[in-house]
């Protein structure tokens, strides 16, 4: 595989760790993703959500709930996770030159390349200028790099089509382009429901765009892109402002707690969000292996020998296990 086509590796690959190192899923703490470890409490799900095809009125209610939650006037297209939107993006334009602000989530470049786009990965926003299609993840995964909405609006005027992935923006709504008063018509914003609400298994996300792009996405997605139970749960979760505020505050506290543990063991903070933290270590693979021996799985990256990313532990017992494992690494 050439340097221009890096492997599409991911977090959440706990099965690979188990196959190599043993144990069962229950034995492991999976910190390899950026999913909220304390999910939204599942409400009762009506029986017909399981038995009937989702109705247009239910999809419309979900879109309305998302528009309110994200404070946006854009059209909202519910999809089976932000990943589904990423897979559809290459079909929205005739293939040409795409540029992705990198390093970042590798599915953006991978999906575009798979559909015939010429993809360049650039290190600075000015490198995106002139692209037929540009991708910015805000805040970025894995380093947490952020971009002001005003800067993204300016960038939209310098590219053919701008995709802004806000999958990790829920805890930092001030970063969101979606809730600003003016959004250029050539912008597509992606949202993940599963990460912030901790319900990734529902496979739900949203694409926010002007009417023409939204209509095209609906045609590409087909008539029933979302399962009935996901619709039922998400409508209630998106309207729960008290849970959202409490969760934003808790995530901030826990991210600071995780940083304190890492700094105490000699790691440097690269960045991240309040859903995951990325650190610089002398040897990331060695650090991952040491934690894995304590049945704690983390994320490292093929393009860095030093970066290691950890999601937040959930229950207190998981925090204690991580603290002991880090102390053992130091010893």
């Amino acid at each position: 595989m050439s340097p221009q086509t890096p492997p599409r590796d991911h977090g959440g690959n706990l099965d690979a760790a188990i196959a190599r190192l043993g144990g069962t899923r229950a034995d492991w703490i999976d910190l390899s993703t950026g999913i909220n470890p304390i999910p939204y409490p599942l409400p009762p799900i009506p029986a017909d959500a399981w038995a009937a095809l989702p109705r247009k009125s239910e999809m419309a209610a979900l879109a309305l709930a998302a528009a309110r939650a994200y404070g946006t006037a854009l059209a909202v297209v519910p999809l089976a996770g932000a990943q589904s939107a990423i897979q559809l993006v290459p079909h929205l334009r005739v293939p040409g030159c795409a540029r992705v602000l990198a390093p970042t989530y590798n599915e953006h470049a991978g999906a575009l390349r798979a559909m015939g786009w010429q993809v360049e990965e650039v290190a600075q926003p000015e490198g995106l200028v002139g692209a037929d299609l540009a991708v910015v993840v805000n805040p970025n995964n894995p380093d947490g790099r952020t971009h002001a909405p005003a800067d993204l609006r300016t960038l939209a005027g310098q590219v053919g089509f701008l995709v802004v992935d806000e999958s990790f923006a829920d805890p930092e709504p001030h970063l969101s382009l979606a809730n600003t008063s003016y959004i250029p018509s050539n912008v597509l914003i992606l949202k993940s429901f599963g990460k912030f609400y901790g319900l990734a298994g529902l496979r739900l996300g949203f694409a926010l765009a002007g009417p023409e792009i939204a209509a095209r996405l609906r045609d590409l997605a087909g008539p029933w892109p979302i399962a009935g139970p996901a619709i039922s749960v998400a409508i209630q979760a998106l309207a729960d402002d008290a849970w959202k505020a409490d969760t934003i505050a808790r995530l901030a506290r826990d991210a600071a707690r995780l940083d304190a543990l890492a700094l105490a063991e000699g790691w440097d903070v690269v960045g991240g969000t309040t859903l995951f933290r990325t650190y610089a270590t002398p040897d990331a693979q060695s650090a991952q292996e040491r934690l894995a021996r304590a049945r704690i799985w983390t994320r490292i990256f093929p393009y860095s020998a030093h970066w290691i990313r950890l999601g937040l532990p959930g229950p207190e017992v998981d925090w204690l296990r991580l603290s002991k494992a880090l102390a053992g690494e130091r010893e």
Side-chain angles (χ1 to χ4, degrees):
M1 184 170 291
S2 71
Q4 287 73 39
T5 55
R8 292 162 74 170
D9 59 309
H10 304 94
N13 58 338
L14 186 57
D15 285 346
I18 292 172
R20 185 163 59 86
L21 299 168
T24 67
R25 194 170 188 86
D27 298 326
W28 285 77
I29 301 172
D30 188 2
L31 303 183
S32 68
T33 72
I35 298 167
N36 182 354
I38 303 178
Y40 186 80
L42 285 174
I45 299 175
D48 65 351
W50 299 99
L53 287 170
R55 295 184 289 273
K56 289 184 178 180
S57 59
E58 294 169 333
M59 288 288 288
L62 174 59
L64 183 62
R68 177 191 173 278
Y70 298 132
T72 189
L74 292 171
V76 177
V77 182
L79 295 164
Q83 181 62 45
S84 178
I86 291 169
Q87 297 296 132
L88 296 179
V89 163
H91 300 273
L92 294 173
R93 292 287 188 276
V94 175
C97 171
R99 294 180 186 150
V100 178
L101 191 60
T104 194
Y105 181 56
N106 59 38
E107 284 294 331
H108 287 286
L112 288 160
R113 286 191 180 103
M115 294 308 300
W117 286 79
Q118 295 179 341
V119 180
E120 301 174 22
E121 297 186 10
V122 301
Q124 300 299 329
E126 51 266 30
L128 300 168
V129 173
D132 298 315
L133 185 153
V135 179
V136 176
V137 180
N138 189 41
N140 191 44
N141 171 18
D143 60 7
R145 185 180 188 183
T146 61
H147 308 273
D151 293 338
L152 294 173
R153 282 195 294 270
T154 299
L155 178 61
Q158 300 171 321
V159 301
F161 187 55
L162 177 62
V163 178
V164 181
D165 185 340
E166 296 187 355
S167 289
F168 289 100
D170 292 58
E172 302 178 86
H174 65 282
L175 291 175
S176 178
L177 183 61
N179 59 19
T180 57
S181 58
Y182 169 68
I183 304 168
S185 60
N186 65 330
V187 170
L188 172 65
I189 300 170
L190 310 184
K191 293 284 190 178
S192 168
F193 176 83
K195 292 180 177 65
F196 178 71
Y197 289 92
L199 297 170
L202 285 182
R203 304 311 305 135
L204 176 62
F206 302 97
L208 284 53
E212 292 184 7
I213 297 172
R216 176 65 174 147
L217 283 168
R218 291 189 190 99
D219 287 343
L220 290 169
W224 302 290
I226 308 300
I231 296 173
S232 177
V233 171
I235 286 174
Q236 296 183 63
L238 289 164
D240 196 334
D241 293 336
W243 184 90
K244 181 176 181 179
D246 289 347
T247 298
I248 289 173
R250 175 184 57 78
L251 291 172
R253 292 192 302 270
D254 286 352
R257 182 180 180 182
L258 187 56
D259 282 353
L261 286 176
L263 289 169
E265 304 310 321
W267 295 359
D268 295 323
V269 178
V270 173
T273 72
T274 59
L275 284 164
F276 64 84
R277 310 299 294 160
T278 300
Y279 305 105
T281 72
D283 184 335
Q285 186 170 0
S286 176
Q288 184 188 54
E289 288 296 319
R290 291 189 188 108
L291 289 174
R293 287 197 288 270
R295 297 286 194 263
I296 298 172
W297 192 234
T298 57
R299 175 85 159 91
I300 60 175
F301 303 92
Y303 50 77
S304 174
H306 303 290
W307 286 10
I308 185 169
R309 193 190 70 192
L310 279 69
L312 303 180
E316 187 63 24
V317 64
D318 289 356
W319 282 97
L320 293 174
R321 277 182 59 184
L322 177 61
S323 179
K324 290 179 180 178
L326 287 171
E329 179 189 85
R330 179 187 58 200
E331 295 167 2

mmCIF file with all atom_site columns, all heavy atoms in Angstrom, residues 286-302:
data_model
loop_
_atom_site.group_PDB
_atom_site.id
_atom_site.type_symbol
_atom_site.label_atom_id
_atom_site.label_alt_id
_atom_site.label_comp_id
_atom_site.label_asym_id
_atom_site.label_entity_id
_atom_site.label_seq_id
_atom_site.pdbx_PDB_ins_code
_atom_site.Cartn_x
_atom_site.Cartn_y
_atom_site.Cartn_z
_atom_site.occupancy
_atom_site.B_iso_or_equiv
_atom_site.pdbx_formal_charge
_atom_site.auth_seq_id
_atom_site.auth_comp_id
_atom_site.auth_asym_id
_atom_site.auth_atom_id
_atom_site.pdbx_PDB_model_num
ATOM 1   N N   . SER A 1 286 ? 4.494  0.963   22.552 1.00 0.00 ? 286 SER A N   1
ATOM 2   C CA  . SER A 1 286 ? 4.859  0.376   23.836 1.00 0.00 ? 286 SER A CA  1
ATOM 3   C C   . SER A 1 286 ? 3.854  0.756   24.905 1.00 0.00 ? 286 SER A C   1
ATOM 4   O O   . SER A 1 286 ? 3.446  -0.086  25.723 1.00 0.00 ? 286 SER A O   1
ATOM 5   C CB  . SER A 1 286 ? 6.262  0.829   24.234 1.00 0.00 ? 286 SER A CB  1
ATOM 6   O OG  . SER A 1 286 ? 6.600  0.344   25.515 1.00 0.00 ? 286 SER A OG  1
ATOM 7   N N   . ALA A 1 287 ? 3.415  2.021   24.910 1.00 0.00 ? 287 ALA A N   1
ATOM 8   C CA  . ALA A 1 287 ? 2.420  2.454   25.890 1.00 0.00 ? 287 ALA A CA  1
ATOM 9   C C   . ALA A 1 287 ? 1.106  1.713   25.703 1.00 0.00 ? 287 ALA A C   1
ATOM 10  O O   . ALA A 1 287 ? 0.468  1.281   26.674 1.00 0.00 ? 287 ALA A O   1
ATOM 11  C CB  . ALA A 1 287 ? 2.198  3.964   25.768 1.00 0.00 ? 287 ALA A CB  1
ATOM 12  N N   . GLN A 1 288 ? 0.690  1.533   24.440 1.00 0.00 ? 288 GLN A N   1
ATOM 13  C CA  . GLN A 1 288 ? -0.540 0.791   24.173 1.00 0.00 ? 288 GLN A CA  1
ATOM 14  C C   . GLN A 1 288 ? -0.431 -0.653  24.652 1.00 0.00 ? 288 GLN A C   1
ATOM 15  O O   . GLN A 1 288 ? -1.360 -1.192  25.270 1.00 0.00 ? 288 GLN A O   1
ATOM 16  C CB  . GLN A 1 288 ? -0.869 0.820   22.681 1.00 0.00 ? 288 GLN A CB  1
ATOM 17  C CG  . GLN A 1 288 ? -2.205 0.138   22.360 1.00 0.00 ? 288 GLN A CG  1
ATOM 18  C CD  . GLN A 1 288 ? -2.442 -0.002  20.869 1.00 0.00 ? 288 GLN A CD  1
ATOM 19  O OE1 . GLN A 1 288 ? -1.598 -0.552  20.157 1.00 0.00 ? 288 GLN A OE1 1
ATOM 20  N NE2 . GLN A 1 288 ? -3.586 0.479   20.402 1.00 0.00 ? 288 GLN A NE2 1
ATOM 21  N N   . GLU A 1 289 ? 0.705  -1.275  24.408 1.00 0.00 ? 289 GLU A N   1
ATOM 22  C CA  . GLU A 1 289 ? 0.890  -2.669  24.816 1.00 0.00 ? 289 GLU A CA  1
ATOM 23  C C   . GLU A 1 289 ? 0.865  -2.820  26.335 1.00 0.00 ? 289 GLU A C   1
ATOM 24  O O   . GLU A 1 289 ? 0.299  -3.775  26.860 1.00 0.00 ? 289 GLU A O   1
ATOM 25  C CB  . GLU A 1 289 ? 2.205  -3.206  24.248 1.00 0.00 ? 289 GLU A CB  1
ATOM 26  C CG  . GLU A 1 289 ? 2.183  -3.447  22.745 1.00 0.00 ? 289 GLU A CG  1
ATOM 27  C CD  . GLU A 1 289 ? 1.195  -4.535  22.350 1.00 0.00 ? 289 GLU A CD  1
ATOM 28  O OE1 . GLU A 1 289 ? 1.116  -5.565  23.058 1.00 0.00 ? 289 GLU A OE1 1
ATOM 29  O OE2 . GLU A 1 289 ? 0.487  -4.351  21.344 1.00 0.00 ? 289 GLU A OE2 1
ATOM 30  N N   . ARG A 1 290 ? 1.500  -1.893  27.049 1.00 0.00 ? 290 ARG A N   1
ATOM 31  C CA  . ARG A 1 290 ? 1.520  -1.978  28.507 1.00 0.00 ? 290 ARG A CA  1
ATOM 32  C C   . ARG A 1 290 ? 0.111  -1.867  29.087 1.00 0.00 ? 290 ARG A C   1
ATOM 33  O O   . ARG A 1 290 ? -0.263 -2.600  29.993 1.00 0.00 ? 290 ARG A O   1
ATOM 34  C CB  . ARG A 1 290 ? 2.422  -0.888  29.087 1.00 0.00 ? 290 ARG A CB  1
ATOM 35  C CG  . ARG A 1 290 ? 3.901  -1.097  28.789 1.00 0.00 ? 290 ARG A CG  1
ATOM 36  C CD  . ARG A 1 290 ? 4.749  -0.110  29.568 1.00 0.00 ? 290 ARG A CD  1
ATOM 37  N NE  . ARG A 1 290 ? 6.139  -0.166  29.150 1.00 0.00 ? 290 ARG A NE  1
ATOM 38  C CZ  . ARG A 1 290 ? 6.751  0.776   28.442 1.00 0.00 ? 290 ARG A CZ  1
ATOM 39  N NH1 . ARG A 1 290 ? 6.082  1.850   28.069 1.00 0.00 ? 290 ARG A NH1 1
ATOM 40  N NH2 . ARG A 1 290 ? 8.023  0.648   28.116 1.00 0.00 ? 290 ARG A NH2 1
ATOM 41  N N   . LEU A 1 291 ? -0.686 -0.925  28.550 1.00 0.00 ? 291 LEU A N   1
ATOM 42  C CA  . LEU A 1 291 ? -2.065 -0.791  29.019 1.00 0.00 ? 291 LEU A CA  1
ATOM 43  C C   . LEU A 1 291 ? -2.897 -2.005  28.608 1.00 0.00 ? 291 LEU A C   1
ATOM 44  O O   . LEU A 1 291 ? -3.792 -2.429  29.342 1.00 0.00 ? 291 LEU A O   1
ATOM 45  C CB  . LEU A 1 291 ? -2.678 0.494   28.472 1.00 0.00 ? 291 LEU A CB  1
ATOM 46  C CG  . LEU A 1 291 ? -2.131 1.791   29.075 1.00 0.00 ? 291 LEU A CG  1
ATOM 47  C CD1 . LEU A 1 291 ? -2.703 3.005   28.348 1.00 0.00 ? 291 LEU A CD1 1
ATOM 48  C CD2 . LEU A 1 291 ? -2.436 1.878   30.560 1.00 0.00 ? 291 LEU A CD2 1
ATOM 49  N N   . ALA A 1 292 ? -2.597 -2.560  27.452 1.00 0.00 ? 292 ALA A N   1
ATOM 50  C CA  . ALA A 1 292 ? -3.340 -3.737  26.998 1.00 0.00 ? 292 ALA A CA  1
ATOM 51  C C   . ALA A 1 292 ? -3.120 -4.930  27.916 1.00 0.00 ? 292 ALA A C   1
ATOM 52  O O   . ALA A 1 292 ? -4.013 -5.762  28.092 1.00 0.00 ? 292 ALA A O   1
ATOM 53  C CB  . ALA A 1 292 ? -2.947 -4.084  25.564 1.00 0.00 ? 292 ALA A CB  1
ATOM 54  N N   . ARG A 1 293 ? -1.950 -5.022  28.513 1.00 0.00 ? 293 ARG A N   1
ATOM 55  C CA  . ARG A 1 293 ? -1.714 -6.123  29.448 1.00 0.00 ? 293 ARG A CA  1
ATOM 56  C C   . ARG A 1 293 ? -2.593 -5.999  30.684 1.00 0.00 ? 293 ARG A C   1
ATOM 57  O O   . ARG A 1 293 ? -2.836 -6.991  31.376 1.00 0.00 ? 293 ARG A O   1
ATOM 58  C CB  . ARG A 1 293 ? -0.228 -6.175  29.838 1.00 0.00 ? 293 ARG A CB  1
ATOM 59  C CG  . ARG A 1 293 ? 0.654  -6.704  28.712 1.00 0.00 ? 293 ARG A CG  1
ATOM 60  C CD  . ARG A 1 293 ? 2.017  -7.142  29.222 1.00 0.00 ? 293 ARG A CD  1
ATOM 61  N NE  . ARG A 1 293 ? 2.846  -6.001  29.597 1.00 0.00 ? 293 ARG A NE  1
ATOM 62  C CZ  . ARG A 1 293 ? 3.677  -5.370  28.756 1.00 0.00 ? 293 ARG A CZ  1
ATOM 63  N NH1 . ARG A 1 293 ? 3.761  -5.762  27.490 1.00 0.00 ? 293 ARG A NH1 1
ATOM 64  N NH2 . ARG A 1 293 ? 4.415  -4.369  29.184 1.00 0.00 ? 293 ARG A NH2 1
ATOM 65  N N   . ALA A 1 294 ? -3.098 -4.794  30.930 1.00 0.00 ? 294 ALA A N   1
ATOM 66  C CA  . ALA A 1 294 ? -4.066 -4.578  32.008 1.00 0.00 ? 294 ALA A CA  1
ATOM 67  C C   . ALA A 1 294 ? -5.497 -4.616  31.482 1.00 0.00 ? 294 ALA A C   1
ATOM 68  O O   . ALA A 1 294 ? -6.430 -4.218  32.182 1.00 0.00 ? 294 ALA A O   1
ATOM 69  C CB  . ALA A 1 294 ? -3.796 -3.245  32.699 1.00 0.00 ? 294 ALA A CB  1
ATOM 70  N N   . ARG A 1 295 ? -5.650 -5.101  30.242 1.00 0.00 ? 295 ARG A N   1
ATOM 71  C CA  . ARG A 1 295 ? -6.957 -5.205  29.586 1.00 0.00 ? 295 ARG A CA  1
ATOM 72  C C   . ARG A 1 295 ? -7.604 -3.830  29.409 1.00 0.00 ? 295 ARG A C   1
ATOM 73  O O   . ARG A 1 295 ? -8.801 -3.638  29.624 1.00 0.00 ? 295 ARG A O   1
ATOM 74  C CB  . ARG A 1 295 ? -7.905 -6.125  30.375 1.00 0.00 ? 295 ARG A CB  1
ATOM 75  C CG  . ARG A 1 295 ? -7.434 -7.580  30.485 1.00 0.00 ? 295 ARG A CG  1
ATOM 76  C CD  . ARG A 1 295 ? -7.624 -8.316  29.165 1.00 0.00 ? 295 ARG A CD  1
ATOM 77  N NE  . ARG A 1 295 ? -7.490 -9.751  29.306 1.00 0.00 ? 295 ARG A NE  1
ATOM 78  C CZ  . ARG A 1 295 ? -6.384 -10.436 29.055 1.00 0.00 ? 295 ARG A CZ  1
ATOM 79  N NH1 . ARG A 1 295 ? -5.294 -9.798  28.662 1.00 0.00 ? 295 ARG A NH1 1
ATOM 80  N NH2 . ARG A 1 295 ? -6.347 -11.745 29.192 1.00 0.00 ? 295 ARG A NH2 1
ATOM 81  N N   . ILE A 1 296 ? -6.797 -2.863  29.001 1.00 0.00 ? 296 ILE A N   1
ATOM 82  C CA  . ILE A 1 296 ? -7.280 -1.525  28.663 1.00 0.00 ? 296 ILE A CA  1
ATOM 83  C C   . ILE A 1 296 ? -6.829 -1.232  27.240 1.00 0.00 ? 296 ILE A C   1
ATOM 84  O O   . ILE A 1 296 ? -5.626 -1.237  26.957 1.00 0.00 ? 296 ILE A O   1
ATOM 85  C CB  . ILE A 1 296 ? -6.728 -0.459  29.634 1.00 0.00 ? 296 ILE A CB  1
ATOM 86  C CG1 . ILE A 1 296 ? -7.206 -0.733  31.062 1.00 0.00 ? 296 ILE A CG1 1
ATOM 87  C CG2 . ILE A 1 296 ? -7.165 0.948   29.196 1.00 0.00 ? 296 ILE A CG2 1
ATOM 88  C CD1 . ILE A 1 296 ? -6.551 0.152   32.107 1.00 0.00 ? 296 ILE A CD1 1
ATOM 89  N N   . TRP A 1 297 ? -7.780 -1.002  26.340 1.00 0.00 ? 297 TRP A N   1
ATOM 90  C CA  . TRP A 1 297 ? -7.456 -0.845  24.928 1.00 0.00 ? 297 TRP A CA  1
ATOM 91  C C   . TRP A 1 297 ? -7.516 0.634   24.544 1.00 0.00 ? 297 TRP A C   1
ATOM 92  O O   . TRP A 1 297 ? -8.445 1.352   24.918 1.00 0.00 ? 297 TRP A O   1
ATOM 93  C CB  . TRP A 1 297 ? -8.404 -1.650  24.063 1.00 0.00 ? 297 TRP A CB  1
ATOM 94  C CG  . TRP A 1 297 ? -7.994 -1.777  22.629 1.00 0.00 ? 297 TRP A CG  1
ATOM 95  C CD1 . TRP A 1 297 ? -8.741 -1.469  21.527 1.00 0.00 ? 297 TRP A CD1 1
ATOM 96  C CD2 . TRP A 1 297 ? -6.729 -2.253  22.132 1.00 0.00 ? 297 TRP A CD2 1
ATOM 97  N NE1 . TRP A 1 297 ? -8.029 -1.734  20.377 1.00 0.00 ? 297 TRP A NE1 1
ATOM 98  C CE2 . TRP A 1 297 ? -6.799 -2.217  20.728 1.00 0.00 ? 297 TRP A CE2 1
ATOM 99  C CE3 . TRP A 1 297 ? -5.558 -2.707  22.745 1.00 0.00 ? 297 TRP A CE3 1
ATOM 100 C CZ2 . TRP A 1 297 ? -5.724 -2.602  19.916 1.00 0.00 ? 297 TRP A CZ2 1
ATOM 101 C CZ3 . TRP A 1 297 ? -4.495 -3.101  21.950 1.00 0.00 ? 297 TRP A CZ3 1
ATOM 102 C CH2 . TRP A 1 297 ? -4.584 -3.048  20.550 1.00 0.00 ? 297 TRP A CH2 1
ATOM 103 N N   . THR A 1 298 ? -6.523 1.094   23.793 1.00 0.00 ? 298 THR A N   1
ATOM 104 C CA  . THR A 1 298 ? -6.396 2.489   23.404 1.00 0.00 ? 298 THR A CA  1
ATOM 105 C C   . THR A 1 298 ? -6.175 2.577   21.895 1.00 0.00 ? 298 THR A C   1
ATOM 106 O O   . THR A 1 298 ? -6.200 1.572   21.194 1.00 0.00 ? 298 THR A O   1
ATOM 107 C CB  . THR A 1 298 ? -5.219 3.136   24.160 1.00 0.00 ? 298 THR A CB  1
ATOM 108 O OG1 . THR A 1 298 ? -4.026 2.379   23.885 1.00 0.00 ? 298 THR A OG1 1
ATOM 109 C CG2 . THR A 1 298 ? -5.485 3.145   25.674 1.00 0.00 ? 298 THR A CG2 1
ATOM 110 N N   . ARG A 1 299 ? -5.920 3.776   21.415 1.00 0.00 ? 299 ARG A N   1
ATOM 111 C CA  . ARG A 1 299 ? -5.799 4.014   19.981 1.00 0.00 ? 299 ARG A CA  1
ATOM 112 C C   . ARG A 1 299 ? -4.453 4.639   19.674 1.00 0.00 ? 299 ARG A C   1
ATOM 113 O O   . ARG A 1 299 ? -4.059 5.627   20.312 1.00 0.00 ? 299 ARG A O   1
ATOM 114 C CB  . ARG A 1 299 ? -6.923 4.963   19.549 1.00 0.00 ? 299 ARG A CB  1
ATOM 115 C CG  . ARG A 1 299 ? -6.868 5.424   18.082 1.00 0.00 ? 299 ARG A CG  1
ATOM 116 C CD  . ARG A 1 299 ? -7.525 4.421   17.186 1.00 0.00 ? 299 ARG A CD  1
ATOM 117 N NE  . ARG A 1 299 ? -7.929 5.037   15.924 1.00 0.00 ? 299 ARG A NE  1
ATOM 118 C CZ  . ARG A 1 299 ? -7.184 5.091   14.835 1.00 0.00 ? 299 ARG A CZ  1
ATOM 119 N NH1 . ARG A 1 299 ? -5.972 4.565   14.823 1.00 0.00 ? 299 ARG A NH1 1
ATOM 120 N NH2 . ARG A 1 299 ? -7.645 5.671   13.746 1.00 0.00 ? 299 ARG A NH2 1
ATOM 121 N N   . ILE A 1 300 ? -3.723 4.054   18.750 1.00 0.00 ? 300 ILE A N   1
ATOM 122 C CA  . ILE A 1 300 ? -2.510 4.670   18.235 1.00 0.00 ? 300 ILE A CA  1
ATOM 123 C C   . ILE A 1 300 ? -2.670 4.857   16.731 1.00 0.00 ? 300 ILE A C   1
ATOM 124 O O   . ILE A 1 300 ? -3.639 4.368   16.133 1.00 0.00 ? 300 ILE A O   1
ATOM 125 C CB  . ILE A 1 300 ? -1.249 3.857   18.587 1.00 0.00 ? 300 ILE A CB  1
ATOM 126 C CG1 . ILE A 1 300 ? -1.319 2.446   18.009 1.00 0.00 ? 300 ILE A CG1 1
ATOM 127 C CG2 . ILE A 1 300 ? -1.033 3.818   20.098 1.00 0.00 ? 300 ILE A CG2 1
ATOM 128 C CD1 . ILE A 1 300 ? -0.045 1.633   18.216 1.00 0.00 ? 300 ILE A CD1 1
ATOM 129 N N   . PHE A 1 301 ? -1.697 5.542   16.101 1.00 0.00 ? 301 PHE A N   1
ATOM 130 C CA  . PHE A 1 301 ? -1.893 5.994   14.736 1.00 0.00 ? 301 PHE A CA  1
ATOM 131 C C   . PHE A 1 301 ? -0.704 5.616   13.858 1.00 0.00 ? 301 PHE A C   1
ATOM 132 O O   . PHE A 1 301 ? 0.449  5.730   14.289 1.00 0.00 ? 301 PHE A O   1
ATOM 133 C CB  . PHE A 1 301 ? -2.092 7.511   14.726 1.00 0.00 ? 301 PHE A CB  1
ATOM 134 C CG  . PHE A 1 301 ? -3.244 7.937   15.591 1.00 0.00 ? 301 PHE A CG  1
ATOM 135 C CD1 . PHE A 1 301 ? -3.029 8.286   16.924 1.00 0.00 ? 301 PHE A CD1 1
ATOM 136 C CD2 . PHE A 1 301 ? -4.534 7.944   15.102 1.00 0.00 ? 301 PHE A CD2 1
ATOM 137 C CE1 . PHE A 1 301 ? -4.088 8.648   17.735 1.00 0.00 ? 301 PHE A CE1 1
ATOM 138 C CE2 . PHE A 1 301 ? -5.593 8.305   15.899 1.00 0.00 ? 301 PHE A CE2 1
ATOM 139 C CZ  . PHE A 1 301 ? -5.377 8.658   17.226 1.00 0.00 ? 301 PHE A CZ  1
ATOM 140 N N   . PRO A 1 302 ? -0.973 5.182   12.633 1.00 0.00 ? 302 PRO A N   1
ATOM 141 C CA  . PRO A 1 302 ? 0.124  4.745   11.758 1.00 0.00 ? 302 PRO A CA  1
ATOM 142 C C   . PRO A 1 302 ? 1.053  5.871   11.350 1.00 0.00 ? 302 PRO A C   1
ATOM 143 O O   . PRO A 1 302 ? 2.189  5.620   10.939 1.00 0.00 ? 302 PRO A O   1
ATOM 144 C CB  . PRO A 1 302 ? -0.606 4.157   10.545 1.00 0.00 ? 302 PRO A CB  1
ATOM 145 C CG  . PRO A 1 302 ? -1.954 4.800   10.558 1.00 0.00 ? 302 PRO A CG  1
ATOM 146 C CD  . PRO A 1 302 ? -2.295 4.992   12.001 1.00 0.00 ? 302 PRO A CD  1
#
